[in-house]
């Protein structure tokens, strides 16, 4: 732990060479310092952006960096200012290396994820919502397997979920039992929803055993139950969520379901408590992601 802390101190000192731009939790790099930090030794999320960014996208980036910086994860969050102007060039070598010379002003920021041990010439691109730190962080967690501890996630159960999904189907019942034993050690009084987090991990594992890996990608949660609404209303919500033929051709039922859940999490007509529930369920489901299995079109199970 001490060596890890000293390494981070050295990186922060090195980042000071990149200029006077500062944001909490962010290491800013330039053409000279980039390769000294992004060296395949750790997972690094890099945002390429204008030299002095602003707006909702920048606020989301600062929120993410603060969350990551306040956790015990080895993941680094890096910022690289870019200007392709001939009269005021900034970090043009990195811009050319990662194909950013033609990026228009309204297309910034550009995110790239450099995974530990992977080729730094082929980072993973992020094409999701730039204005929601939770979406960006969930993508990073799914791609790297790091534990950051966003709302809903429990360290011991997060590790159990990943081990569970990586195991052959025949070994999963034993892993579910082991996870249940680990769940007994979770402090249910740590937060008002802690017991719900634990229950959701267990229920997702049970559903995967019953329905297969694709269920994780397809469900994500049930339609919110508003006060005074009955089964008829919930059936109507599910009908609205069914993808059209055109939509299915583009993203498939899994993508459509994920989009539907995110839309409900943002829907101000849904009670705030329900929106929070959908958000932390999605956070927990990220721990079960990455199976790559095709969606099971016959599954309409709700959790």
């Amino acid at each position: 732990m001490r060596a890890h802390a000293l390494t981070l101190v050295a990186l922060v000192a090195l980042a000071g060479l990149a200029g006077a731009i500062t944001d909490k939790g962010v290491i800013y790099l330039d053409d000279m310092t980039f390769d000294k930090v992004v060296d395949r030794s750790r997972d690094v999320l890099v945002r390429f952006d204008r030299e002095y960014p602003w707006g909702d996208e920048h606020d989301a980036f600062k929120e993410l960096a603060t969350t990551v910086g306040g956790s015990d994860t080895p993941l680094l969050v890096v910022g690289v200012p870019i200007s392709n102007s001939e009269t005021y060039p900034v970090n043009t070598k990195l811009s050319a290396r990662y194909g950013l010379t033609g990026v228009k002003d309204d297309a910034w920021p550009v995110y790239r994820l450099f995974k530990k041990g992977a080729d730094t010439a082929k980072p993973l691109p992020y094409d999701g919502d730039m204005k929601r730190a939770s979406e960006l962080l969930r993508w990073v967690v799914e791609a790297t397997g790091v534990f950051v501890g966003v709302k809903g996630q429990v360290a011991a159960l997060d590790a159990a979920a990943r081990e569970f999904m990586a195991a052959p189907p025949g070994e999963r019942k034993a892993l579910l039992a082991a996870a249940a034993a680990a769940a007994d050690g979770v402090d249910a009084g740590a937060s008002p929803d802690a017991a719900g987090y634990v229950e959701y991990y267990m229920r997702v594992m049970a559903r995967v055993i019953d329905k297969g890996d694709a269920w994780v990608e397809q469900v994500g949660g049930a339609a919110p139950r508003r006060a005074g609404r009955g089964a008829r209303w919930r059936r109507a919500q599910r009908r609205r969520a069914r993808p059209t033929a055109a939509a299915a051709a583009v993203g498939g039922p899994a993508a459509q379901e994920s989009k539907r859940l995110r839309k409900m999490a943002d829907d101000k007509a849904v009670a705030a408590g329900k929106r929070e529930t959908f958000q932390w369920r999605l956070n927990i489901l990220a721990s079960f992601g990455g199976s790559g299995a095709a969606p099971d079109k016959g599954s309409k199970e709700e959790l």
Side-chain angles (χ1 to χ4, degrees), residues 20-258:
I21 305 173
T22 59
D23 282 306
K24 188 175 181 180
V26 182
I27 298 175
Y28 280 95
L29 302 175
D30 59 19
D31 281 342
M32 294 186 293
T33 58
F34 187 87
D35 291 331
K36 294 180 174 68
V37 175
V38 185
D39 60 358
R40 302 175 61 183
S41 65
R42 60 184 64 80
D43 295 307
V44 184
L45 176 66
V46 178
R47 181 193 66 168
F48 298 96
D49 205 346
R50 295 157 293 191
E51 188 169 17
Y52 298 102
W54 66 90
D56 294 338
E57 292 91 345
H58 186 52
D59 289 342
F61 177 64
K62 291 191 295 183
E63 180 184 342
L64 176 142
T66 300
T67 299
V68 172
S71 72
D72 195 31
T73 177
L75 172 72
L76 293 183
V77 178
V78 165
V80 177
I82 297 288
S83 173
N84 293 311
S85 169
E86 293 182 2
T87 57
Y88 185 67
V90 178
N91 296 324
T92 52
K93 290 182 180 179
L94 289 171
S95 179
R97 184 194 301 180
Y98 293 109
L100 306 174
T101 55
V103 176
K104 304 297 182 182
D105 287 345
D106 61 354
W108 298 106
V110 173
Y111 284 99
R112 295 289 183 266
L113 179 61
F114 295 80
K115 295 181 66 174
K116 181 178 179 179
D119 186 353
T120 57
K122 299 177 181 179
L124 299 179
Y126 176 67
D127 298 319
D129 191 340
M130 305 286 183
K131 297 181 179 180
R132 292 186 61 184
S134 60
E135 290 299 305
L136 178 55
L137 185 56
R138 181 160 49 249
W139 173 74
V140 172
V141 169
E142 288 176 348
T144 63
V146 300
F147 180 73
V148 177
V150 293
K151 185 176 176 64
Q153 293 180 334
V154 178
L157 298 182
D158 186 87
R162 295 183 185 282
E163 182 181 8
F164 176 88
M165 293 303 291
E171 298 178 8
R172 287 178 172 171
K173 286 187 177 180
L175 290 173
L176 172 57
D184 289 339
V186 175
D187 181 6
S191 78
D193 294 318
Y197 304 158
V198 171
E199 181 187 13
Y200 196 70
Y201 273 102
M202 298 299 101
R203 292 171 68 185
V204 170
M205 289 186 187
R207 284 287 195 266
V208 171
I209 289 173
D210 186 37
K211 301 295 181 181
D213 292 11
W215 182 86
V216 172
E217 300 170 10
Q218 187 173 15
V219 291
R225 301 191 179 196
R226 298 185 187 174
R229 306 285 190 172
R232 181 180 299 177
W233 180 84
R234 292 193 293 275
R235 284 195 298 269
Q237 294 300 303
R238 287 195 290 270
R239 283 196 297 272
R240 289 194 189 104
R242 290 172 187 165
T244 62
V250 173
Q256 293 301 314
E257 180 70 5
S258 177

